[in-house]
Amino acid sequence: MKNQNQRLGLHMWHRLVFSVFLLFGAGVHAQTAIEAVTGSIQGGTEVVRIDLTKELTAVPTGFAIQSPARIALDFPGVSSAMGRSTVDLNQGNLKSVSVVQAGERTRVVLNLKYPTAYTAEIQGKSLLIALEPVAPSKPTVAVTATFAESRSRDSAPLKDLDFRKTVDGAGRVVVTLPTNQVGVDIRQQGQTLVVEFMKSTLPEGLRRRMDVADFGTPIKTVTTTQVGDRVRMVVEPSGQWEHSAYQSDEQFVIEVKEIKVDPKKLTAGIGFTGQKLSLNFQNIEVRSLLQVIADFTNFNIVTSDSVTGSVTLRLQDVPWDQALDIILQAKSLGYRKSGNVLWVAPKDEIAAKEKLDLESVASTQNLEQLKTQFFQINYALAKDLATQLAAGGVVAAGSVSTPNARLLSGRGSVIAVERTNQLFVTDIPSKLEQIQDLIAKVDVPVRQVLIEARLVEASDSFGRSLGVKLGASDLRAQRGGDGGYQLGNNGERVAFGTSYSNAVATSGANTPVDASGQFVSLPASTLGAASAATFALSVFNSAANRFLNLEISAMEADGKGKVVSSPRVITADKVSAVIEQGEELPYSTQVSDAKGNTVNTISFKKMNLKLEVTPQITPEGGVILKLDINKDVVGRITPNGFGVNTKHVKTEVLVDNGGTVVIGGIFEEAENTDEFKVPFLGDLPGVGHLFKSRTKQITKKELLVFITPRLIPERGAMR
């Protein structure tokens, strides 16, 4: 019973303490709470009303998202007493309102149908959010009328106006404002952008029209004028474009870039690719601004204690990664990314930390215990690998390796055993792993290629020759009669002969007449080794002492020839190979000996068929061939020896595996026509053919080179 009373007393004491804690705790932690969220349309403007238990001291900060269209407002130190997280309104551009509490902060998100601007105003214990009207049927018309409200009472001149081209081809107009309190209005009129700077003046040096079409950006012209108490700037782009504007302190920037439609929805080129947002802050702390971006991107941001200061920032429809870059550039900050965590700190601090990390790694390597590992080399040479590991890595032939590029550490060493083709490497474990990976990639069988070349020399010749022999003889005087022909009654006679001696013999001299003499001797030419065919005709009198002889010779030759040379060679990938066949011919040269005497020496010159090739196997299975083909034959004889007729082809081609390509050809055609005739007589029609001969020759030669590469299967032998 006593124990029961004790337990009852203890229980009553606990209840008393708990009640007191609730009473006083509620009083201590009492805070402002959101009671209700309602929507209405006042004078054509959509208004969202947020009722709270206490009056706010300042308008909460917020940001806007273009896609999906949202407006987010953060209420620090405010809780939610609504009992639900979503309020469906479905009026005009507003679809619903989400209220989410996270710790000591509550975020109110307006889910919209179309992006729009907003204004916020405190009325007692309520916050009124007015949405700018939008026209859904005309999304290209600008809905933002006011970029920044003017807080300056006096007019001040603009400091500078500049144009730049970004790395991604966008046009950037940079305006330096007198203060960060200058109001800016942006609107789109047709195909132009109109930017107005409130209560500002334009110096004479900035009143101009800039033609920037040569920069290759969507912006063609920028015209700046003074209109009343404001400065108006008209930007004229061309094509399909989109714009974004932001302000960092006293610098206002508007960018216009080309809209590129990518069917695969892939990002092309250099630029920012994050989801677009809009920010409007006056003298906000950098740490708080980074927290806003972290909430938007779902990234974890770790901010260094040395990050301080505030910034005035106005961004409209800017990718979040660009907004982050603008903030970091304004405060000389940098970041390092690891997964979904961003570490933000001053650039000097980041550089110092990285330097310390590298120094720590280097010092650890100097203290790390050395180990020795054995490597069996199968295809490469252990000696070459050892030299490359100690001198600067595995490099291609002809390249240069610097001494500080060695793969081994400062304490590492390597020994190559040529007899067994093995490597023994002593170094720290991390370096041994790198060397093991390197050897695994380098020590592999090299693919081989069989290259077959066919050199075809084809010749075609045709010749035709026609000639005559015409002669006459008179044997009357030789046989006791009167030779020649009588001219008159005085006994004068004339004798004809094929030559002077035949004319004298025909007249009756004691010399015999050469019956084979000819007036015309123009026979057909010999074509090749064969002789021309002949046909003879002789006309004589009954006494057989006077003769007229005619011999016709004709020749026609037609020849065809073909010489095929087919060198073949097998070589490894990217390894040059040479194969040649032929002979060496001697030729005489004169040189001076030690005493200055001229001595004849015999030298030899190659006349051969040579194929030099370097293959390179492509990833697609093709072969790139560097070819040098030479074919020499004996030419005419010179006083110093034989001449050389050479044919040379040097080229580089891409051929499929097993395919054949004709890499070149040398074609020669010679046509000769010769005619020999007796002047005047050879030109007579008809009869003139008895006094002339004709020869016509046509020769054609062609060299063709056919190349066929074939990849040899790995571990397979050639058959």
Side-chain angles (χ1 to χ4, degrees), residues 594-610:
K595 299 181 180 180
N597 300 323
T598 302
V599 182
N600 292 329
T601 61
I602 302 298
S603 302
F604 292 88
K605 185 176 181 61
K606 291 184 178 181
M607 278 175 285
N608 53 12
L609 171 64
K610 178 180 147 181

Side-chain angles (χ1 to χ4, degrees), residues 586-629:
Y587 64 96
S588 176
T589 58
Q590 293 182 351
V591 297
S592 299
D593 57 6
K595 299 181 180 180
N597 300 323
T598 302
V599 182
N600 292 329
T601 61
I602 302 298
S603 302
F604 292 88
K605 185 176 181 61
K606 291 184 178 181
M607 278 175 285
N608 53 12
L609 171 64
K610 178 180 147 181
L611 170 64
E612 182 177 357
V613 59
T614 304
Q616 179 182 347
I617 303 174
T618 64
E620 297 80 12
V623 183
I624 299 175
L625 299 175
K626 295 182 179 179
L627 295 164
D628 192 351
I629 303 174

Side-chain angles (χ1 to χ4, degrees), residues 180-181 249 281-286 309-313:
N180 58 6
Q181 306 297 324
D249 292 333
F281 296 104
Q282 289 284 336
N283 295 324
I284 186 175
E285 293 185 356
V286 177
S310 59
V311 64
T312 298
L313 194 66

Side-chain angles (χ1 to χ4, degrees), residues 473 475 479 537-549:
S473 60
L475 304 178
R479 294 179 178 180
L537 177 67
S538 179
V539 179
F540 56 91
N541 61 351
S542 59
N545 54 13
R546 286 182 292 176
F547 296 88
L548 178 63
N549 304 318

Side-chain angles (χ1 to χ4, degrees), residues 156-167:
L158 301 181
K159 295 181 179 181
D160 193 15
L161 176 63
D162 191 14
F163 177 83
R164 303 170 187 173
K165 181 180 179 181
T166 64
V167 293

Side-chain angles (χ1 to χ4, degrees), residues 21 44-45 72 107 122 177 189 198 220 255 293 471-472 482 525 528 574 597 611 665 682-683:
F21 176 78
T45 303
R107 173 169 293 180
I122 298 176
L177 305 176
Q189 294 182 352
M198 308 300 178
K220 301 305 177 185
E255 286 188 3
I293 296 179
D482 296 329
S525 301
K574 301 180 182 66
N597 300 323
L611 170 64
D683 298 329

Side-chain angles (χ1 to χ4, degrees), residues 463-512:
R464 177 180 294 171
S465 181
L466 180 64
V468 297
K469 290 182 179 180
L470 180 63
S473 60
D474 189 358
L475 304 178
R476 289 179 295 175
Q478 186 174 333
R479 294 179 178 180
D482 296 329
Y485 299 90
Q486 185 176 352
L487 292 178
N489 296 327
N490 297 325
E492 291 87 356
R493 303 181 69 83
V494 60
F496 299 92
T498 57
S499 62
Y500 176 78
S501 59
N502 262 352
V504 174
T506 302
S507 65
N510 293 326
T511 56

